[in-house]
Amino acid sequence: MIDETEITRRYAIPGRRYADFAILRGDPSDGLPGLRGVGAVTAAAMIRRHGDIAGVLRDRPLSPADREYLQAALTVVRPVDDLPVTLPSGRRDAYPTNESALRSLAAHHQADDSVDRLLRAVTRLAPRRPRPPRMLSTAD
């Protein structure tokens, strides 16, 4: 399990700064390109020095393309941490309820990998249906 403590242990940055770290370093699973030439070590050092993306934008000389990427990423990538989400009561028999529509949206927004991970996760939530009993033949 990856939690804030594990992020701090791995990268020596506050766990809550992981989104900023991923924006700087890039994240192929989410399609984030990151800043050119910035890997995990440099991204962690930038977070330790500047605190967050806003600090990097304020204090570090950047090319216009890097500045544009970081400003856009701040609005697109930043996780929402105050959205009230309530789980529906009960469980569905299958997830998603409209897979073709979901796949179409994923393709349109180039989010196929993320949707694949989502589907693997929610599939585990669906109740397991018992297998029908296997009929034995005389050959068994």
Side-chain angles (χ1 to χ4, degrees):
M1 178 191 275
I2 304 296
D3 60 8
E4 290 186 31
T5 303
E6 179 62 13
I7 297 300
T8 301
R9 186 193 70 74
R10 282 187 191 187
Y11 303 110
I13 62 171
R16 293 187 182 269
R17 296 277 63 98
Y18 182 78
D20 294 311
F21 169 82
I23 289 169
L24 292 167
R25 148 202 90 181
D27 188 341
S29 69
D30 291 332
L32 298 174
L35 294 180
R36 187 172 182 193
V38 173
V41 172
T42 303
M46 291 169 75
I47 295 299
R48 285 191 296 274
R49 180 171 186 172
H50 302 290
D52 57 15
I53 298 292
V56 171
L57 285 165
R58 181 185 61 244
D59 301 332
R60 188 175 174 102
L62 298 165
S63 71
D66 286 346
R67 185 169 295 281
E68 182 180 340
Y69 162 73
L70 291 178
Q71 289 169 333
L74 278 175
T75 61
V76 175
V77 176
R78 177 86 47 218
V80 176
D81 60 3
D82 63 351
L83 184 66
V85 175
T86 57
L87 297 176
S89 61
R91 292 180 151 184
R92 296 187 185 277
D93 290 336
Y95 291 96
T97 57
N98 189 341
E99 186 170 350
S100 63
L102 177 61
R103 295 247 180 233
S104 176
L105 282 170
H108 176 76
H109 294 287
Q110 298 176 348
D112 296 308
D113 291 340
S114 296
V115 167
D116 287 341
R117 286 194 315 275
L118 171 68
L119 291 178
R120 280 194 302 274
V122 298
T123 299
R124 288 184 228 131
L125 299 174
R128 301 224 186 267
R129 289 196 175 119
R131 290 172 129 173
R134 187 169 89 91
M135 299 303 227
L136 296 176
S137 72
T138 56
D140 290 340

